Amino acid sequence: MKTTGYAATDASKPLARFEFNRRELRGNDVSIDILYCGVCHTDLHQSRNDWGWSVFPVVPGHEIVGRVAAVGKNVTRHKVGDAVAVGCIVDSCGKCDQCVRREEQMCREGPTLTYGGQDRIDGELTYGGYSRNIVVREEFVLSVPASLDLARAAPLLCAGITTYSPLRTWNVGPGGRVGVVGLGGLGHMAVKLAVGLGADVTVISRSAGKADDALALGADRVLISTDDAAMAAAANAFDLIVDTIPVRHDLSPYLPLLDIDATLVIVGQLGLVDEHSTMPLLTGRRRISGSPIGGMAETQEMLDFCGKKNILPDCEMIAIQDINAAFERMERADVRYRFVIDMASLEAA
Ligand SMILES: [Zn+2]
Ligand SMILES: [Zn+2]
């Protein structure tokens, strides 16, 4: 079926209106009319081929919220009119050990990405949420709790699950001591979710400029990483540090802040990290780890948790026609804290 979206047709061009086809519904498919789509750093990088593996045209968008418009004949999980969501992956092999334990993001064959991926049946390039509609296998369509504001829920599908998953992996609960480095789209969600789980949350920032914002988001305190005395006093003070900075940086100042056996988890794609001494890793059996999104079961758990606690991202709503300006502002970290596209604007053109 014919549809409309916004695409980058090559790495040097801005996003522009693009007509393309979505597949006809298979028996287990759900067709979704997209209402809102969050704008992730990955969208910007893939549109410009920053990581070298983009397949053009790129229709970005993997923070998708909408309503079910039609279902295939075998679909049981969703019905027409339901509020639903789609995140970063739309399929996986379904058979490997990781898929069986509902960690589809770790599928041994590689999960099918929502955009820039290859459909497992017809081999067609996948197109994301900067579009009027999307067709997705029902197991990869999530339910949005009725209590959540649909206009703000979209960023939960990438920024939300990316920060929720490590908090759950490392068993953060009441009284857990969590540090959050970086206060952008991911960082502000890490703060809200860790607070929601009952943790004692510290935002670690290079300057005091973000202190008021951090406290307003619910953090208990701010630690200024350029204040040597404060950093020394915070030695061994954390069970988990979630590092959300999306660019290359030095990890070494944060490692002594970890308690024995504690972990610093990286959730951004940094490429290279700067040199750091292995001494704090040896002396405290401290760990550096990484974490990508989450499986479908955990993503649904996160949505339900946010519904129960009314946890939502802070969003700035834009029209699709403003997407290129939004990318430029995102590069300057000039957004609090996530752009969301109101897809009704697509009809305005
Ligand atoms: Zn993303
Ligand atoms: Zn698999």
Side-chain angles (χ1 to χ4, degrees):
M1 62 185 113
K2 285 198 182 312
T3 192
T4 305
Y6 261 57
T9 47
D10 75 55
S12 64
K13 293 216 179 70
L15 265 61
R17 199 174 173 90
F18 174 66
E19 314 290 331
F20 62 104
N21 289 310
R22 294 289 188 190
R23 66 171 180 256
E24 298 300 325
L25 289 192
R26 299 170 186 147
N28 61 351
D29 273 343
V30 175
S31 177
I32 301 164
D33 286 340
I34 300 174
L35 296 171
Y36 303 101
C37 187
V39 182
C40 173
H41 271 267
T42 300
D43 301 349
L44 166 69
H45 292 306
Q46 290 290 62
S47 298
R48 296 181 183 173
N49 200 19
D50 288 338
W51 298 331
W53 47 273
S54 297
V55 184
F56 291 92
V58 174
V59 176
H62 58 206
E63 295 183 334
I64 298 165
V65 166
R67 286 201 184 273
V68 175
V71 296
K73 62 181 188 313
N74 303 325
V75 168
T76 57
R77 293 168 179 238
H78 306 285
K79 59 182 193 307
V80 172
D82 284 356
V84 292
V86 176
C88 303
I89 58 177
V90 288
D91 206 355
S92 70
C93 86
K95 297 187 188 87
C96 73
D97 58 338
Q98 298 304 307
C99 286
V100 167
R101 61 194 279 252
R102 305 298 310 278
E103 296 253 60
E104 296 92 342
Q105 81 281 23
M106 310 279 194
C107 175
R108 301 281 180 184
E109 292 184 5
T112 305
L113 299 177
T114 301
Y115 65 88
Q118 199 179 17
D119 183 77
R120 301 182 101 81
I121 293 171
D122 62 23
E124 291 289 316
L125 181 63
T126 58
Y127 294 122
Y130 293 11
S131 59
R132 181 173 288 133
N133 69 335
I134 190 165
V135 175
V136 178
R137 184 183 155 186
E138 67 168 329
E139 292 89 343
F140 289 79
V141 177
L142 299 142
S143 298
V144 181
S147 58
L148 281 184
D149 176 1
L150 292 184
R152 288 174 62 190
L156 296 176
L157 278 303
C158 178
I161 187 59
T162 297
T163 48
Y164 182 80
S165 184
L167 296 173
R168 297 285 287 125
T169 298
W170 280 278
N171 294 311
V172 168
R177 300 166 301 165
V178 175
V180 176
V181 182
L183 202 59
L186 291 173
H188 99 290
M189 281 315 304
V191 171
K192 290 187 182 212
L193 291 164
V195 169
L197 288 164
D200 181 84
V201 180
T202 303
V203 169
I204 305 167
S205 179
R206 266 173 305 187
S207 71
K210 290 192 168 172
D212 290 345
D213 291 345
L215 299 176
L217 291 168
D220 294 280
R221 70 192 67 76
V222 177
L223 172 60
I224 307 301
S225 59
T226 50
D227 180 340
D228 293 342
M231 289 292 275
N236 307 302
F238 296 100
D239 303 311
L240 180 71
I241 295 177
V242 184
D243 184 337
T244 72
I245 296 177
V247 293
R248 183 174 178 174
H249 61 283
D250 185 6
L251 304 179
S252 51
Y254 309 117
L255 299 181
L257 305 179
L258 294 170
D259 206 349
I260 290 168
D261 280 324
T263 299
L264 178 141
V265 59
I266 297 164
V267 294
Q269 158 53 6
L270 305 185
L272 301 171
V273 292
D274 289 343
E275 282 183 57
H276 57 82
S277 168
T278 51
M279 190 57 81
L281 302 180
L282 298 175
T283 56
R285 205 161 47 207
R286 300 176 177 97
R287 299 176 183 86
I288 298 173
S289 186
S291 180
I293 53 171
M296 300 315 293
E298 192 174 58
T299 306
Q300 187 63 60
E301 177 192 302
M302 178 274 307
L303 285 171
D304 295 343
F305 174 75
C306 290
K308 203 157 57 187
K309 299 264 182 180
N310 198 30
I311 294 173
L312 283 165
D314 289 11
C315 302
E316 184 177 331
M317 201 64 68
I318 60 168
I320 187 76
Q321 293 81 1
D322 299 328
I323 187 61
N324 294 301
F327 276 0
E328 284 171 23
R329 283 184 52 196
M330 233 163 57
E331 281 189 298
R332 303 194 299 266
D334 174 24
V335 52
R336 288 187 189 182
Y337 286 89
R338 202 67 149 177
F339 289 116
V340 172
I341 305 164
D342 182 349
M343 215 48 73
S345 59
L346 199 53
E347 315 301 331

